PDB file of all heavy atoms in Angstrom:
ATOM      1  N   MET Q 104      99.533  95.650  93.772  1.00  0.00           N
ATOM      2  CA  MET Q 104     100.204  96.922  93.507  1.00  0.00           C
ATOM      3  C   MET Q 104     101.688  96.687  93.533  1.00  0.00           C
ATOM      4  O   MET Q 104     102.422  97.344  92.671  1.00  0.00           O
ATOM      5  CB  MET Q 104      99.891  97.852  94.657  1.00  0.00           C
ATOM      6  CG  MET Q 104      98.482  98.513  94.555  1.00  0.00           C
ATOM      7  SD  MET Q 104      98.194  99.835  95.658  1.00  0.00           S
ATOM      8  CE  MET Q 104      98.082  98.989  97.213  1.00  0.00           C
ATOM      9  N   PHE Q 105     102.297  95.877  94.408  1.00  0.00           N
ATOM     10  CA  PHE Q 105     103.676  95.570  94.388  1.00  0.00           C
ATOM     11  C   PHE Q 105     104.206  94.937  93.098  1.00  0.00           C
ATOM     12  O   PHE Q 105     105.251  95.227  92.617  1.00  0.00           O
ATOM     13  CB  PHE Q 105     104.183  94.835  95.577  1.00  0.00           C
ATOM     14  CG  PHE Q 105     104.321  95.656  96.843  1.00  0.00           C
ATOM     15  CD1 PHE Q 105     103.387  95.837  97.805  1.00  0.00           C
ATOM     16  CD2 PHE Q 105     105.535  96.314  96.979  1.00  0.00           C
ATOM     17  CE1 PHE Q 105     103.591  96.614  98.933  1.00  0.00           C
ATOM     18  CE2 PHE Q 105     105.827  97.169  98.107  1.00  0.00           C
ATOM     19  CZ  PHE Q 105     104.743  97.300  99.084  1.00  0.00           C
ATOM     20  N   GLU Q 106     103.311  94.059  92.560  1.00  0.00           N
ATOM     21  CA  GLU Q 106     103.725  93.384  91.294  1.00  0.00           C
ATOM     22  C   GLU Q 106     103.737  94.539  90.159  1.00  0.00           C
ATOM     23  O   GLU Q 106     104.688  94.521  89.304  1.00  0.00           O
ATOM     24  CB  GLU Q 106     102.694  92.312  90.964  1.00  0.00           C
ATOM     25  CG  GLU Q 106     102.757  91.084  91.803  1.00  0.00           C
ATOM     26  CD  GLU Q 106     101.768  90.135  91.372  1.00  0.00           C
ATOM     27  OE1 GLU Q 106     100.816  90.355  90.583  1.00  0.00           O
ATOM     28  OE2 GLU Q 106     101.809  88.956  91.982  1.00  0.00           O
ATOM     29  N   MET Q 107     102.820  95.460  90.143  1.00  0.00           N
ATOM     30  CA  MET Q 107     102.874  96.385  89.184  1.00  0.00           C
ATOM     31  C   MET Q 107     104.064  97.381  89.355  1.00  0.00           C
ATOM     32  O   MET Q 107     104.695  97.829  88.439  1.00  0.00           O
ATOM     33  CB  MET Q 107     101.564  97.233  89.127  1.00  0.00           C
ATOM     34  CG  MET Q 107     101.382  98.281  88.091  1.00  0.00           C
ATOM     35  SD  MET Q 107     101.219  97.483  86.397  1.00  0.00           S
ATOM     36  CE  MET Q 107      99.646  96.647  86.593  1.00  0.00           C
ATOM     37  N   CYS Q 108     104.383  97.671  90.566  1.00  0.00           N
ATOM     38  CA  CYS Q 108     105.409  98.523  90.931  1.00  0.00           C
ATOM     39  C   CYS Q 108     106.734  97.907  90.480  1.00  0.00           C
ATOM     40  O   CYS Q 108     107.614  98.521  89.820  1.00  0.00           O
ATOM     41  CB  CYS Q 108     105.447  98.722  92.442  1.00  0.00           C
ATOM     42  SG  CYS Q 108     106.929  99.716  92.965  1.00  0.00           S
ATOM     43  N   ARG Q 109     106.932  96.592  90.724  1.00  0.00           N
ATOM     44  CA  ARG Q 109     108.136  95.879  90.242  1.00  0.00           C
ATOM     45  C   ARG Q 109     108.179  95.821  88.669  1.00  0.00           C
ATOM     46  O   ARG Q 109     109.272  95.876  88.173  1.00  0.00           O
ATOM     47  CB  ARG Q 109     108.118  94.423  90.779  1.00  0.00           C
ATOM     48  CG  ARG Q 109     109.385  93.720  90.483  1.00  0.00           C
ATOM     49  CD  ARG Q 109     109.343  92.287  91.274  1.00  0.00           C
ATOM     50  NE  ARG Q 109     108.113  91.556  90.948  1.00  0.00           N
ATOM     51  CZ  ARG Q 109     107.856  90.423  91.630  1.00  0.00           C
ATOM     52  NH1 ARG Q 109     108.673  89.956  92.542  1.00  0.00           N
ATOM     53  NH2 ARG Q 109     106.744  89.819  91.386  1.00  0.00           N
ATOM     54  N   ALA Q 110     107.029  95.640  88.031  1.00  0.00           N
ATOM     55  CA  ALA Q 110     107.073  95.596  86.621  1.00  0.00           C
ATOM     56  C   ALA Q 110     107.610  96.915  85.965  1.00  0.00           C
ATOM     57  O   ALA Q 110     108.499  96.896  85.055  1.00  0.00           O
ATOM     58  CB  ALA Q 110     105.722  95.443  86.035  1.00  0.00           C
ATOM     59  N   PHE Q 111     107.213  98.000  86.572  1.00  0.00           N
ATOM     60  CA  PHE Q 111     107.684  99.347  85.989  1.00  0.00           C
ATOM     61  C   PHE Q 111     109.154  99.617  86.476  1.00  0.00           C
ATOM     62  O   PHE Q 111     109.919 100.216  85.572  1.00  0.00           O
ATOM     63  CB  PHE Q 111     106.808 100.435  86.412  1.00  0.00           C
ATOM     64  CG  PHE Q 111     105.619 100.631  85.629  1.00  0.00           C
ATOM     65  CD1 PHE Q 111     104.400 100.298  86.093  1.00  0.00           C
ATOM     66  CD2 PHE Q 111     105.584 101.152  84.349  1.00  0.00           C
ATOM     67  CE1 PHE Q 111     103.175 100.345  85.358  1.00  0.00           C
ATOM     68  CE2 PHE Q 111     104.468 101.269  83.501  1.00  0.00           C
ATOM     69  CZ  PHE Q 111     103.339 100.860  84.066  1.00  0.00           C
ATOM     70  N   SER Q 112     109.499  99.375  87.696  1.00  0.00           N
ATOM     71  CA  SER Q 112     110.810  99.631  88.182  1.00  0.00           C
ATOM     72  C   SER Q 112     111.900  98.651  87.672  1.00  0.00           C
ATOM     73  O   SER Q 112     113.037  98.940  87.788  1.00  0.00           O
ATOM     74  CB  SER Q 112     110.830  99.624  89.707  1.00  0.00           C
ATOM     75  OG  SER Q 112     110.657  98.313  90.238  1.00  0.00           O
ATOM     76  N   GLN Q 113     111.491  97.502  87.076  1.00  0.00           N
ATOM     77  CA  GLN Q 113     112.377  96.477  86.531  1.00  0.00           C
ATOM     78  C   GLN Q 113     113.342  96.005  87.623  1.00  0.00           C
ATOM     79  O   GLN Q 113     114.527  95.685  87.353  1.00  0.00           O
ATOM     80  CB  GLN Q 113     113.247  97.082  85.401  1.00  0.00           C
ATOM     81  CG  GLN Q 113     112.328  97.459  84.117  1.00  0.00           C
ATOM     82  CD  GLN Q 113     111.777  96.246  83.423  1.00  0.00           C
ATOM     83  OE1 GLN Q 113     112.538  95.390  82.978  1.00  0.00           O
ATOM     84  NE2 GLN Q 113     110.520  96.228  83.302  1.00  0.00           N
ATOM     85  N   GLY Q 114     112.894  96.036  88.921  1.00  0.00           N
ATOM     86  CA  GLY Q 114     113.700  95.508  89.935  1.00  0.00           C
ATOM     87  C   GLY Q 114     114.844  96.396  90.444  1.00  0.00           C
ATOM     88  O   GLY Q 114     115.780  95.982  91.090  1.00  0.00           O
ATOM     89  N   LYS Q 115     114.873  97.661  89.891  1.00  0.00           N
ATOM     90  CA  LYS Q 115     115.951  98.548  90.154  1.00  0.00           C
ATOM     91  C   LYS Q 115     115.760  99.405  91.431  1.00  0.00           C
ATOM     92  O   LYS Q 115     116.462 100.387  91.680  1.00  0.00           O
ATOM     93  CB  LYS Q 115     116.231  99.429  88.963  1.00  0.00           C
ATOM     94  CG  LYS Q 115     116.656  98.734  87.687  1.00  0.00           C
ATOM     95  CD  LYS Q 115     116.976  99.672  86.578  1.00  0.00           C
ATOM     96  CE  LYS Q 115     115.700 100.374  86.028  1.00  0.00           C
ATOM     97  NZ  LYS Q 115     115.953 101.215  84.869  1.00  0.00           N
ATOM     98  N   GLY Q 116     114.692  99.071  92.193  1.00  0.00           N
ATOM     99  CA  GLY Q 116     114.415  99.818  93.343  1.00  0.00           C
ATOM    100  C   GLY Q 116     112.957  99.834  93.594  1.00  0.00           C
ATOM    101  O   GLY Q 116     112.104  99.833  92.692  1.00  0.00           O
ATOM    102  N   PHE Q 117     112.589  99.981  94.874  1.00  0.00           N
ATOM    103  CA  PHE Q 117     111.097  99.961  95.166  1.00  0.00           C
ATOM    104  C   PHE Q 117     110.683 101.146  95.907  1.00  0.00           C
ATOM    105  O   PHE Q 117     109.953 101.095  96.862  1.00  0.00           O
ATOM    106  CB  PHE Q 117     110.825  98.690  96.027  1.00  0.00           C
ATOM    107  CG  PHE Q 117     110.900  97.389  95.253  1.00  0.00           C
ATOM    108  CD1 PHE Q 117     112.024  96.669  95.200  1.00  0.00           C
ATOM    109  CD2 PHE Q 117     109.762  97.002  94.515  1.00  0.00           C
ATOM    110  CE1 PHE Q 117     112.089  95.524  94.406  1.00  0.00           C
ATOM    111  CE2 PHE Q 117     109.808  95.823  93.789  1.00  0.00           C
ATOM    112  CZ  PHE Q 117     110.929  95.081  93.741  1.00  0.00           C
ATOM    113  N   GLU Q 118     111.203 102.347  95.502  1.00  0.00           N
ATOM    114  CA  GLU Q 118     110.770 103.599  96.053  1.00  0.00           C
ATOM    115  C   GLU Q 118     109.182 103.756  95.921  1.00  0.00           C
ATOM    116  O   GLU Q 118     108.540 104.195  96.804  1.00  0.00           O
ATOM    117  CB  GLU Q 118     111.434 104.788  95.377  1.00  0.00           C
ATOM    118  CG  GLU Q 118     112.899 104.936  95.767  1.00  0.00           C
ATOM    119  CD  GLU Q 118     113.751 104.037  94.809  1.00  0.00           C
ATOM    120  OE1 GLU Q 118     113.233 103.244  94.032  1.00  0.00           O
ATOM    121  OE2 GLU Q 118     115.031 104.131  94.922  1.00  0.00           O
ATOM    122  N   GLY Q 119     108.714 103.263  94.827  1.00  0.00           N
ATOM    123  CA  GLY Q 119     107.254 103.359  94.523  1.00  0.00           C
ATOM    124  C   GLY Q 119     106.515 102.447  95.503  1.00  0.00           C
ATOM    125  O   GLY Q 119     105.323 102.676  95.780  1.00  0.00           O
ATOM    126  N   GLY Q 120     107.162 101.435  96.025  1.00  0.00           N
ATOM    127  CA  GLY Q 120     106.523 100.499  96.963  1.00  0.00           C
ATOM    128  C   GLY Q 120     106.142 101.233  98.203  1.00  0.00           C
ATOM    129  O   GLY Q 120     105.258 100.605  99.013  1.00  0.00           O
ATOM    130  N   VAL Q 121     106.747 102.291  98.568  1.00  0.00           N
ATOM    131  CA  VAL Q 121     106.407 102.972  99.828  1.00  0.00           C
ATOM    132  C   VAL Q 121     104.903 103.486  99.786  1.00  0.00           C
ATOM    133  O   VAL Q 121     104.122 103.236 100.681  1.00  0.00           O
ATOM    134  CB  VAL Q 121     107.343 104.088 100.088  1.00  0.00           C
ATOM    135  CG1 VAL Q 121     106.924 104.868 101.405  1.00  0.00           C
ATOM    136  CG2 VAL Q 121     108.760 103.608 100.261  1.00  0.00           C
ATOM    137  N   GLY Q 122     104.639 104.039  98.669  1.00  0.00           N
ATOM    138  CA  GLY Q 122     103.257 104.553  98.467  1.00  0.00           C
ATOM    139  C   GLY Q 122     102.289 103.384  98.395  1.00  0.00           C
ATOM    140  O   GLY Q 122     101.162 103.476  98.928  1.00  0.00           O
ATOM    141  N   CYS Q 123     102.660 102.262  97.776  1.00  0.00           N
ATOM    142  CA  CYS Q 123     101.857 101.095  97.726  1.00  0.00           C
ATOM    143  C   CYS Q 123     101.573 100.558  99.125  1.00  0.00           C
ATOM    144  O   CYS Q 123     100.412 100.139  99.428  1.00  0.00           O
ATOM    145  CB  CYS Q 123     102.505  99.955  96.863  1.00  0.00           C
ATOM    146  SG  CYS Q 123     102.641 100.391  95.124  1.00  0.00           S
ATOM    147  N   ALA Q 124     102.609 100.510  99.947  1.00  0.00           N
ATOM    148  CA  ALA Q 124     102.385 100.007 101.275  1.00  0.00           C
ATOM    149  C   ALA Q 124     101.465 100.898 102.115  1.00  0.00           C
ATOM    150  O   ALA Q 124     100.582 100.380 102.866  1.00  0.00           O
ATOM    151  CB  ALA Q 124     103.768  99.938 101.989  1.00  0.00           C
ATOM    152  N   VAL Q 125     101.626 102.199 101.964  1.00  0.00           N
ATOM    153  CA  VAL Q 125     100.755 103.178 102.724  1.00  0.00           C
ATOM    154  C   VAL Q 125      99.247 102.850 102.299  1.00  0.00           C
ATOM    155  O   VAL Q 125      98.399 102.900 103.062  1.00  0.00           O
ATOM    156  CB  VAL Q 125     101.171 104.571 102.523  1.00  0.00           C
ATOM    157  CG1 VAL Q 125     100.179 105.531 103.143  1.00  0.00           C
ATOM    158  CG2 VAL Q 125     102.581 104.890 103.137  1.00  0.00           C
ATOM    159  N   PHE Q 126      99.082 102.810 100.950  1.00  0.00           N
ATOM    160  CA  PHE Q 126      97.733 102.625 100.508  1.00  0.00           C
ATOM    161  C   PHE Q 126      97.050 101.306 100.943  1.00  0.00           C
ATOM    162  O   PHE Q 126      95.923 101.261 101.312  1.00  0.00           O
ATOM    163  CB  PHE Q 126      97.744 102.536  98.849  1.00  0.00           C
ATOM    164  CG  PHE Q 126      96.397 102.718  98.227  1.00  0.00           C
ATOM    165  CD1 PHE Q 126      95.870 103.919  97.916  1.00  0.00           C
ATOM    166  CD2 PHE Q 126      95.663 101.630  98.023  1.00  0.00           C
ATOM    167  CE1 PHE Q 126      94.589 104.079  97.313  1.00  0.00           C
ATOM    168  CE2 PHE Q 126      94.372 101.652  97.462  1.00  0.00           C
ATOM    169  CZ  PHE Q 126      93.816 102.958  97.081  1.00  0.00           C
ATOM    170  N   THR Q 127      97.931 100.247 101.015  1.00  0.00           N
ATOM    171  CA  THR Q 127      97.391  98.925 101.457  1.00  0.00           C
ATOM    172  C   THR Q 127      97.034  99.046 102.892  1.00  0.00           C
ATOM    173  O   THR Q 127      95.961  98.514 103.246  1.00  0.00           O
ATOM    174  CB  THR Q 127      98.525  97.880 101.211  1.00  0.00           C
ATOM    175  OG1 THR Q 127      98.870  97.850  99.854  1.00  0.00           O
ATOM    176  CG2 THR Q 127      97.976  96.531 101.669  1.00  0.00           C
ATOM    177  N   ILE Q 128      97.832  99.674 103.748  1.00  0.00           N
ATOM    178  CA  ILE Q 128      97.561  99.740 105.125  1.00  0.00           C
ATOM    179  C   ILE Q 128      96.333 100.646 105.509  1.00  0.00           C
ATOM    180  O   ILE Q 128      95.568 100.402 106.292  1.00  0.00           O
ATOM    181  CB  ILE Q 128      98.847 100.259 105.885  1.00  0.00           C
ATOM    182  CG1 ILE Q 128      99.962  99.246 105.850  1.00  0.00           C
ATOM    183  CG2 ILE Q 128      98.549 100.492 107.380  1.00  0.00           C
ATOM    184  CD1 ILE Q 128     101.344  99.715 106.237  1.00  0.00           C
ATOM    185  N   ALA Q 129      96.264 101.724 104.676  1.00  0.00           N
ATOM    186  CA  ALA Q 129      95.230 102.774 104.983  1.00  0.00           C
ATOM    187  C   ALA Q 129      93.883 102.489 104.418  1.00  0.00           C
ATOM    188  O   ALA Q 129      92.867 103.030 104.893  1.00  0.00           O
ATOM    189  CB  ALA Q 129      95.697 104.101 104.594  1.00  0.00           C
ATOM    190  N   ALA Q 130      93.783 101.753 103.280  1.00  0.00           N
ATOM    191  CA  ALA Q 130      92.564 101.570 102.532  1.00  0.00           C
ATOM    192  C   ALA Q 130      91.417 101.033 103.362  1.00  0.00           C
ATOM    193  O   ALA Q 130      90.331 101.650 103.254  1.00  0.00           O
ATOM    194  CB  ALA Q 130      92.798 100.707 101.327  1.00  0.00           C
ATOM    195  N   LEU Q 131      91.559  99.983 104.050  1.00  0.00           N
ATOM    196  CA  LEU Q 131      90.489  99.435 104.780  1.00  0.00           C
ATOM    197  C   LEU Q 131      90.027 100.421 105.962  1.00  0.00           C
ATOM    198  O   LEU Q 131      88.804 100.656 106.072  1.00  0.00           O
ATOM    199  CB  LEU Q 131      90.804  98.075 105.375  1.00  0.00           C
ATOM    200  CG  LEU Q 131      89.778  97.289 105.990  1.00  0.00           C
ATOM    201  CD1 LEU Q 131      88.472  97.154 105.118  1.00  0.00           C
ATOM    202  CD2 LEU Q 131      90.185  95.863 106.473  1.00  0.00           C
ATOM    203  N   PRO Q 132      90.895 100.926 106.693  1.00  0.00           N
ATOM    204  CA  PRO Q 132      90.582 101.874 107.696  1.00  0.00           C
ATOM    205  C   PRO Q 132      89.787 103.125 107.175  1.00  0.00           C
ATOM    206  O   PRO Q 132      88.828 103.584 107.724  1.00  0.00           O
ATOM    207  CB  PRO Q 132      91.818 102.351 108.473  1.00  0.00           C
ATOM    208  CG  PRO Q 132      92.716 101.196 108.248  1.00  0.00           C
ATOM    209  CD  PRO Q 132      92.356 100.605 106.868  1.00  0.00           C
ATOM    210  N   VAL Q 133      90.286 103.575 105.972  1.00  0.00           N
ATOM    211  CA  VAL Q 133      89.571 104.672 105.332  1.00  0.00           C
ATOM    212  C   VAL Q 133      88.167 104.389 104.974  1.00  0.00           C
ATOM    213  O   VAL Q 133      87.273 105.124 105.198  1.00  0.00           O
ATOM    214  CB  VAL Q 133      90.340 105.077 104.068  1.00  0.00           C
ATOM    215  CG1 VAL Q 133      89.498 105.939 103.163  1.00  0.00           C
ATOM    216  CG2 VAL Q 133      91.650 105.871 104.384  1.00  0.00           C
ATOM    217  N   TYR Q 134      87.904 103.077 104.540  1.00  0.00           N
ATOM    218  CA  TYR Q 134      86.496 102.780 104.147  1.00  0.00           C
ATOM    219  C   TYR Q 134      85.649 102.588 105.445  1.00  0.00           C
ATOM    220  O   TYR Q 134      84.510 102.984 105.376  1.00  0.00           O
ATOM    221  CB  TYR Q 134      86.553 101.470 103.350  1.00  0.00           C
ATOM    222  CG  TYR Q 134      85.200 101.278 102.684  1.00  0.00           C
ATOM    223  CD1 TYR Q 134      84.756 102.040 101.662  1.00  0.00           C
ATOM    224  CD2 TYR Q 134      84.270 100.311 103.186  1.00  0.00           C
ATOM    225  CE1 TYR Q 134      83.443 101.841 101.114  1.00  0.00           C
ATOM    226  CE2 TYR Q 134      83.091 100.052 102.584  1.00  0.00           C
ATOM    227  CZ  TYR Q 134      82.664 100.959 101.577  1.00  0.00           C
ATOM    228  OH  TYR Q 134      81.406 100.751 101.052  1.00  0.00           O
ATOM    229  N   GLU Q 135      86.255 101.979 106.417  1.00  0.00           N
ATOM    230  CA  GLU Q 135      85.528 101.888 107.752  1.00  0.00           C
ATOM    231  C   GLU Q 135      85.152 103.336 108.255  1.00  0.00           C
ATOM    232  O   GLU Q 135      84.006 103.445 108.715  1.00  0.00           O
ATOM    233  CB  GLU Q 135      86.365 101.138 108.739  1.00  0.00           C
ATOM    234  CG  GLU Q 135      86.557  99.692 108.523  1.00  0.00           C
ATOM    235  CD  GLU Q 135      85.365  98.842 108.859  1.00  0.00           C
ATOM    236  OE1 GLU Q 135      84.605  99.283 109.645  1.00  0.00           O
ATOM    237  OE2 GLU Q 135      85.270  97.735 108.338  1.00  0.00           O
ATOM    238  N   PHE Q 136      86.003 104.208 108.092  1.00  0.00           N
ATOM    239  CA  PHE Q 136      85.769 105.600 108.568  1.00  0.00           C
ATOM    240  C   PHE Q 136      84.584 106.205 107.750  1.00  0.00           C
ATOM    241  O   PHE Q 136      83.782 106.840 108.257  1.00  0.00           O
ATOM    242  CB  PHE Q 136      87.066 106.436 108.381  1.00  0.00           C
ATOM    243  CG  PHE Q 136      86.787 107.893 108.656  1.00  0.00           C
ATOM    244  CD1 PHE Q 136      86.729 108.356 109.956  1.00  0.00           C
ATOM    245  CD2 PHE Q 136      86.657 108.812 107.573  1.00  0.00           C
ATOM    246  CE1 PHE Q 136      86.571 109.716 110.158  1.00  0.00           C
ATOM    247  CE2 PHE Q 136      86.521 110.169 107.809  1.00  0.00           C
ATOM    248  CZ  PHE Q 136      86.370 110.557 109.119  1.00  0.00           C
ATOM    249  N   ALA Q 137      84.654 105.930 106.439  1.00  0.00           N
ATOM    250  CA  ALA Q 137      83.637 106.545 105.561  1.00  0.00           C
ATOM    251  C   ALA Q 137      82.222 105.928 105.881  1.00  0.00           C
ATOM    252  O   ALA Q 137      81.232 106.688 105.911  1.00  0.00           O
ATOM    253  CB  ALA Q 137      83.974 106.166 104.093  1.00  0.00           C
ATOM    254  N   LEU Q 138      82.251 104.692 106.138  1.00  0.00           N
ATOM    255  CA  LEU Q 138      80.959 104.015 106.546  1.00  0.00           C
ATOM    256  C   LEU Q 138      80.355 104.630 107.828  1.00  0.00           C
ATOM    257  O   LEU Q 138      79.132 104.784 107.959  1.00  0.00           O
ATOM    258  CB  LEU Q 138      81.072 102.543 106.612  1.00  0.00           C
ATOM    259  CG  LEU Q 138      81.305 101.652 105.351  1.00  0.00           C
ATOM    260  CD1 LEU Q 138      81.390 100.213 105.659  1.00  0.00           C
ATOM    261  CD2 LEU Q 138      80.139 101.913 104.375  1.00  0.00           C
ATOM    262  N   LYS Q 139      81.162 104.842 108.761  1.00  0.00           N
ATOM    263  CA  LYS Q 139      80.784 105.357 110.067  1.00  0.00           C
ATOM    264  C   LYS Q 139      80.338 106.855 110.025  1.00  0.00           C
ATOM    265  O   LYS Q 139      79.587 107.307 110.942  1.00  0.00           O
ATOM    266  CB  LYS Q 139      81.787 105.120 111.148  1.00  0.00           C
ATOM    267  CG  LYS Q 139      82.005 103.605 111.493  1.00  0.00           C
ATOM    268  CD  LYS Q 139      83.103 103.437 112.473  1.00  0.00           C
ATOM    269  CE  LYS Q 139      83.299 101.928 112.797  1.00  0.00           C
ATOM    270  NZ  LYS Q 139      84.442 101.708 113.711  1.00  0.00           N
ATOM    271  N   ASN Q 140      80.905 107.557 109.087  1.00  0.00           N
ATOM    272  CA  ASN Q 140      80.736 108.977 109.089  1.00  0.00           C
ATOM    273  C   ASN Q 140      79.937 109.506 107.888  1.00  0.00           C
ATOM    274  O   ASN Q 140      79.533 110.646 107.899  1.00  0.00           O
ATOM    275  CB  ASN Q 140      82.101 109.686 109.096  1.00  0.00           C
ATOM    276  CG  ASN Q 140      82.859 109.467 110.411  1.00  0.00           C
ATOM    277  OD1 ASN Q 140      82.624 110.210 111.381  1.00  0.00           O
ATOM    278  ND2 ASN Q 140      83.704 108.459 110.458  1.00  0.00           N
ATOM    279  N   ALA Q 141      79.670 108.655 106.899  1.00  0.00           N
ATOM    280  CA  ALA Q 141      78.916 109.181 105.767  1.00  0.00           C
ATOM    281  C   ALA Q 141      78.254 107.982 105.043  1.00  0.00           C
ATOM    282  O   ALA Q 141      77.327 107.387 105.553  1.00  0.00           O
ATOM    283  CB  ALA Q 141      79.852 109.908 104.834  1.00  0.00           C
TER     284      ALA Q 141
END
């Protein structure tokens, strides 16, 4: 995700990287939650 973010931003800033970081951190816990609850 960060590579794709850098490709579009052309290295002029990584504001989009904030969303990428949140997705990376949350994805696995979200799936674990889904397995336990549904």
Side-chain angles (χ1 to χ4, degrees):
M104 285 193 289
F105 274 99
E106 287 178 354
M107 187 64 69
C108 178
R109 182 172 56 186
F111 278 107
S112 68
Q113 298 289 302
K115 294 184 292 185
F117 287 94
E118 291 84 354
V121 176
C123 295
V125 174
F126 192 93
T127 302
I128 294 170
L131 187 55
V133 162
Y134 192 71
E135 289 282 339
F136 172 82
L138 286 182
K139 292 178 181 179
N140 292 274

